[in-house]
Amino acid sequence: MTSLLDNLNEPQLAAVTLPAEHALILAGAGSGKTRVLTTRIAWLISTSQVSPQGILAVTFTNKAAKEMQTRLAAMLPINVKSLWIGTFHGLCNRLLRAHYRDAGLPQLFQILDSADQLSSVKRLMKALNVDDEKFPPREICQFINAQKEQGLRASTVEAWDSRAKQKVEIYAAYETQCQREGVVDFAELLLRSYELLTRNEPLLRHYQERFRHILVDEFQDTNKLQYRWLKLLAGQHAALFCVGDDDQSIYAFRGADVGNMRDFEREFNVKHMIRLEQNYRSHGNILDAANAIIRNNPHRLGKNLWTHAGSGEPIRVYEAYADSDEARWIVEEVKSLVRDGHTRAEIALLYRSNAQSRALEHALFNAGIPYRVYGGLRFFERAEIKHALAYLRLIANPNDDTAFARVVNFPVRGIGARSLEALQDAAKATNSSLHAAITQVSGKGGASLAAFAQLIHQLSEAAHLPLPELIDHVLDLSGLHTHYQNEKEGQERLANLDELINAAASFIAEEGTASEEGELSADLAAFLSHASLEAGEHQAGEGDDALQLMTVHSAKGLEFNMVFISGLEEGLFPHENAVNDIKNGSDGLEEERRLMYVAVTRARQRLYLSIAQSRMLHGQTRYNPPSRFLDEIPRELLKWLTPRVEKQHFAVSPAPTFHGKSHVTAQRTGHIGNPSKDSGFSIGMNVHHTKFGPGVIVNAEGSGTDARVQVNFKAAGVKWLALAIAKLEAA
């Protein structure tokens, strides 16, 4: 027992040994939250307060769930795979598999990942003759998922106009199609699980009595329905132990609701709120900067990160004239770090928007520096893998129309668009799956479709084989191997298909599942679920030591010795949409500030911040002032690697003739126009307006009495003001 608690600091120990009551643990970045969660579970079990079967632990990624299992296996002499530890999707999948009849699902229902869902919606819209330009399929998918995450079925969604009504009708048809095919999407896993428990009182009571301790990781990332699901399972008796950081809530665009933390505190009358503030990752100056930035968000529960690691180095700031200069500087700094003995894998380059990467990648490529863009295609999302999985899904369920549509003519087997249209019409007329409607299609197309059905039948007859052998058999008989062997650049795809066989063998070895001879392989169904749930998880890339490039969103949960945050300009970081939202009372700026907090706290030892006075984005050169986040960092923490660039004055000089606008641009040196008529204002100058408040001059144009300036106001956004009448003064 003592050894379990030996390495905990005082707040961690207090959290781990809390009584069986509701608790909210505010775990700052790098404060050891996973240690607290796993030790809490081990302590509850080892002190006989709960059996392993009485624990439910929820997290957001399979990687995090496996990390918890690995740590628990080292702490306790139990089979950790029997524990209910997993993601929301994974646990709901497990629940629905166990009670598929009550849930109204076939035993071997399949899971649609995001790409499969999009394909399914496209197919449906084509059958319904819906204009995909007026109603983009991706928009429909987002609409459907958003409704499900709010707990709404098509029958309960209110449509206020004709466009919304059309979306609801597509949603209703999509529900019918998925039910007929025996498939569920990710959002459906949670919604159907919630509905199963709400309408089945004995089943709900069973799980409420079973799970006496419910532990939740990354609680700030939960959406409304996930929170309702947790409350439902907790009932009146379970203790909810929620660990999260409201300062790292950055997924509102996915439906995450940071307000769930305050709602939980209020609705469950939480008496135990513990703050984990000691950071084991970063040096003090980095943490002080992060604390100073996030302190400007008014709606937070509040904490202050600190460390025993010392202050460390100051934060380096570089101001470039253009994004190309910024990129060249980063390249030179990376070279210097590598010369000093740092590996490129220890260095991360973060940016707010993917559009920023072009100049960075161009400079890295020219300098011959290996780099990797984090978040490329994952293993289970690669086309050749999805083709192979589609054949496997048809073995498990021939009525899976999404899988059918993907491979019915891949590799090419002479089934054209006209034959597929005839098949879709037949399926619609008989209200059946595409596979079941094959017998209704005649002619040459019908014969080709019948041959494909025979192929699926042949593959199904081999379902008794061990899973790796089954996959190898499918790759050969389907023609996928031959197809990629004949493809000009097919060797990499063949290697990926071979890796799929390895993945299946590893899955069987790790999960220990086994099916009886002569039955449809339970291993196959489990592996297909595994593949769908793993799609979207990051797969570590192979190859040389490489610099890591990624968006700030992608960086959450990661840490690096050296971190560059580029593009710290108003309108870029914070994003212009968030800046403009201030006028509407939106908390978009607060989320941008949380993003900056996440970015800063990725750094262990050294942090670089960079600015470009001009930046090419979306085909336009933009001149934005430095980000307000720089102003929020105490000056004593910063080391400017460039002198603050001298502000460039502009003046108004009369032109002999004036036609339209005469644009005045900032120059590197000197004044523009006649010094005697200098207005006294300069591009980059801090100014104040009686109505709009503080701002920064970013551009100027015109001459004489027509002169005007463009000002980026912190509260009012970007505005053009005529100098002759503007109530503008230097700040």
Side-chain angles (χ1 to χ4, degrees):
M1 172 55 57
T2 305
S3 61
L4 272 180
L5 309 178
D6 279 350
N7 296 320
L8 302 176
N9 63 37
E10 188 174 335
Q12 289 174 339
L13 178 63
V16 166
T17 57
L18 281 172
E21 298 176 2
H22 304 306
L24 179 59
I25 312 301
L26 294 181
S31 63
K33 68 178 178 63
T34 304
R35 175 188 297 178
V36 168
L37 275 166
T38 52
T39 308
R40 169 74 171 174
I41 294 172
W43 182 75
L44 288 170
I45 294 173
S46 61
T47 55
S48 302
Q49 296 185 58
V50 66
S51 70
Q53 289 70 38
I55 294 285
L56 177 70
V58 192
T59 186
F60 272 83
T61 67
N62 290 314
K63 180 181 177 182
K66 288 177 181 177
E67 173 67 16
M68 290 176 67
Q69 289 179 333
T70 300
R71 294 196 188 192
L72 282 169
M75 295 179 183
L76 296 172
I78 62 172
N79 177 14
V80 295
K81 291 182 180 178
S82 66
L83 296 175
W84 279 61
I85 296 177
T87 64
F88 279 100
H89 292 139
L91 293 173
C92 288
N93 173 60
R94 184 171 177 176
L95 183 68
L96 294 174
R97 296 283 174 194
H99 307 285
Y100 65 92
R101 287 193 183 90
D102 292 327
L105 290 169
Q107 183 175 8
L108 297 176
F109 69 84
Q110 295 303 309
I111 303 170
L112 300 177
D113 63 19
S114 56
D116 288 332
Q117 183 189 29
L118 179 62
S119 175
S120 180
V121 167
K122 286 180 178 178
R123 179 163 41 83
L124 173 67
M125 291 175 62
K126 186 175 182 179
L128 295 175
N129 293 317
V130 177
D131 185 348
D132 60 4
E133 291 188 4
K134 186 177 180 181
F135 295 93
R138 289 189 185 278
E139 181 184 319
I140 297 299
C141 286
Q142 292 167 358
F143 172 80
I144 291 171
N145 293 337
Q147 305 315 308
K148 289 186 178 185
E149 287 168 1
Q150 292 294 321
L152 299 175
R153 290 292 182 192
S155 59
T156 58
V157 177
E158 294 185 11
W160 299 101
D161 54 36
S162 59
R163 182 174 179 80
K165 184 178 179 181
Q166 178 75 71
K167 287 184 177 181
V168 172
E169 289 174 355
I170 296 172
Y171 179 16
Y174 173 75
E175 285 183 308
T176 302
Q177 175 175 285
C178 288
Q179 186 66 32
R180 185 184 71 244
E181 296 177 13
V183 297
V184 297
D185 54 44
F186 277 177
E188 182 72 16
L189 285 170
L190 185 68
L191 178 54
R192 192 167 294 230
S193 173
Y194 179 79
E195 291 172 340
L196 169 66
L197 294 172
T198 53
R199 68 168 180 260
N200 192 322
E201 182 64 29
L203 190 65
L204 174 61
R205 191 163 54 249
H206 164 76
Y207 283 106
Q208 287 178 336
E209 291 174 356
R210 173 176 178 168
F211 297 129
R212 292 310 177 108
H213 287 269
I214 300 176
L215 301 93
V216 189
D217 188 16
E218 304 285 9
F219 187 55
Q220 78 279 353
D221 292 336
T222 53
N223 62 34
K224 287 293 187 185
L225 185 58
Q226 288 165 340
Y227 180 44
R228 286 164 58 188
W229 185 82
L230 290 168
K231 290 195 294 183
L232 188 63
L233 281 171
Q236 299 297 315
H237 305 294
L240 271 168
F241 185 88
C242 298
V243 181
D245 184 1
D246 56 328
D247 291 334
Q248 294 190 75
S249 179
I250 60 173
Y251 296 124
F253 66 95
R254 294 183 187 169
D257 188 348
V258 68
N260 286 344
M261 299 186 77
R262 288 192 177 277
D263 290 346
F264 169 60
E265 182 186 12
R266 183 186 70 255
E267 293 172 6
F268 285 81
N269 191 26
V270 174
K271 299 176 183 177
H272 307 287
M273 182 188 292
I274 295 178
R275 290 170 169 81
L276 304 182
E277 298 174 306
Q278 183 175 355
N279 179 281
Y280 294 91
R281 174 189 301 161
S282 307
H283 285 152
N285 285 339
I286 294 170
L287 298 180
D288 289 345
N291 290 330
I293 292 167
I294 202 64
R295 201 173 291 131
N296 290 277
N297 271 1
H299 306 115
R300 56 190 293 261
L301 296 169
K303 63 187 175 309
N304 197 65
L305 298 179
W306 61 274
T307 181
H308 281 314
S311 297
E313 303 176 20
I315 297 168
R316 293 161 169 81
V317 186
Y318 183 85
E319 186 170 12
Y321 286 121
D323 52 355
S324 56
D325 300 318
E326 177 192 44
R328 281 192 290 270
W329 168 75
I330 290 173
V331 164
E332 292 306 314
E333 285 296 317
V334 169
K335 286 180 178 179
S336 177
L337 290 170
V338 173
R339 284 195 299 269
D340 290 342
H342 299 283
T343 64
R344 285 180 285 268
E346 296 174 351
I347 308 170
L349 174 49
L350 311 184
Y351 36 82
R352 174 64 180 85
S353 167
N354 274 312
Q356 291 172 248
S357 72
R358 183 200 58 81
L360 299 169
E361 291 190 60
H362 183 69
L364 291 168
F365 177 80
N366 287 343
I369 297 178
Y371 67 90
R372 183 175 299 111
V373 179
Y374 186 96
L377 278 178
R378 285 81 169 170
F379 180 78
F380 285 111
E381 293 177 330
R382 294 169 187 167
E384 62 274 17
I385 300 302
K386 292 184 74 66
H387 289 324
L389 292 174
Y391 280 105
L392 294 173
R393 284 168 53 179
L394 288 173
I395 293 174
N397 176 13
N399 295 318
D400 183 341
D401 282 1
T402 301
F404 186 102
R406 171 175 280 275
V407 295
V408 64
N409 197 40
F410 190 91
V412 175
R413 50 178 59 90
I415 301 174
R418 188 169 299 177
S419 297
L420 290 176
E421 287 178 9
L423 180 63
Q424 289 166 350
D425 290 341
K428 185 177 180 181
T430 57
N431 193 30
S432 66
S433 69
L434 295 174
H435 180 271
I438 284 177
T439 57
Q440 305 299 313
V441 181
S442 59
K444 183 179 178 181
S448 298
L449 287 166
F452 178 71
Q454 179 60 28
L455 169 62
I456 300 305
H457 177 71
Q458 286 179 265
L459 295 176
S460 299
E461 289 183 330
H464 63 280
L465 292 172
L467 185 58
E469 293 182 27
L470 173 61
I471 294 176
D472 191 36
H473 179 70
V474 167
L475 295 178
D476 282 331
L477 200 60
S478 67
L480 286 175
H481 259 148
T482 302
H483 173 81
Y484 289 119
Q485 282 171 349
N486 296 329
E487 194 178 66
K488 184 178 180 181
E489 299 177 358
Q491 292 306 308
E492 183 178 348
R493 297 185 185 274
L494 287 171
N496 288 335
L497 291 175
D498 289 340
E499 187 57 32
L500 181 63
I501 299 173
N502 295 337
S506 298
F507 174 78
I508 297 301
E510 292 173 5
E511 299 299 320
T513 57
S515 56
E516 296 182 12
E517 186 72 21
E519 292 185 349
L520 183 61
S521 175
D523 291 341
L524 173 58
F527 181 68
L528 289 171
S529 292
H530 164 77
S532 292
L533 293 169
E534 282 284 320
E537 290 285 327
H538 174 66
Q539 304 289 332
E542 298 179 4
D544 297 335
D545 177 35
L547 180 69
Q548 307 295 305
L549 273 66
M550 65 194 75
T551 64
V552 180
H553 279 104
S554 297
K556 187 174 182 294
L558 304 176
E559 55 187 72
F560 304 91
N561 288 346
M562 317 289 165
V563 170
F564 292 80
I565 306 175
S566 64
L568 279 172
E569 298 123 39
E570 286 290 301
L572 189 58
F573 199 4
H575 194 276
E576 58 190 353
N577 291 344
V579 174
N580 293 334
D581 277 349
I582 300 173
K583 294 178 289 185
N584 302 323
S586 168
D587 64 353
L589 182 60
E590 290 190 33
E591 178 143 336
E592 289 292 301
R593 189 171 280 112
R594 293 195 291 266
L595 260 178
M596 183 62 181
Y597 176 84
V598 167
V600 169
T601 54
R602 298 312 92 196
R604 297 189 191 107
Q605 301 170 8
R606 188 180 294 181
L607 178 63
Y608 296 86
L609 309 176
S610 62
I611 316 155
Q613 291 182 350
S614 66
R615 185 176 301 278
M616 180 67 74
L617 278 176
H618 310 300
Q620 295 182 333
T621 300
R622 296 171 56 166
Y623 302 90
N624 287 353
S627 169
R628 70 190 68 200
F629 299 149
L630 276 169
D631 293 334
E632 294 172 357
I633 301 175
R635 290 180 179 270
E636 61 270 19
L637 300 179
L638 302 177
K639 177 183 179 181
W640 286 82
L641 301 180
T642 50
R644 297 305 300 269
V645 177
E646 184 181 349
K647 303 306 179 184
Q648 308 307 326
H649 290 271
F650 68 88
V652 289
S653 56
T657 57
F658 180 76
H659 301 286
K661 295 181 180 179
S662 173
H663 290 277
V664 181
T665 57
Q667 308 216 346
R668 298 296 184 196
T669 58
H671 294 279
I672 300 173
N674 186 344
S676 66
K677 297 193 176 183
D678 193 328
S679 67
F681 294 106
S682 59
I683 293 175
M685 176 182 283
N686 292 317
V687 294
H688 189 275
H689 190 274
T690 54
K691 178 179 179 181
F692 303 126
V696 178
I697 296 177
V698 296
N699 204 354
E701 68 178 27
S703 61
T705 57
D706 293 320
R708 63 179 191 155
V709 292
Q710 187 183 39
V711 184
N712 191 334
F713 292 103
K714 284 192 174 182
V718 178
K719 294 183 180 297
W720 280 100
L721 300 174
L723 280 177
I725 60 174
K727 299 177 180 180
L728 197 67
E729 48 187 46

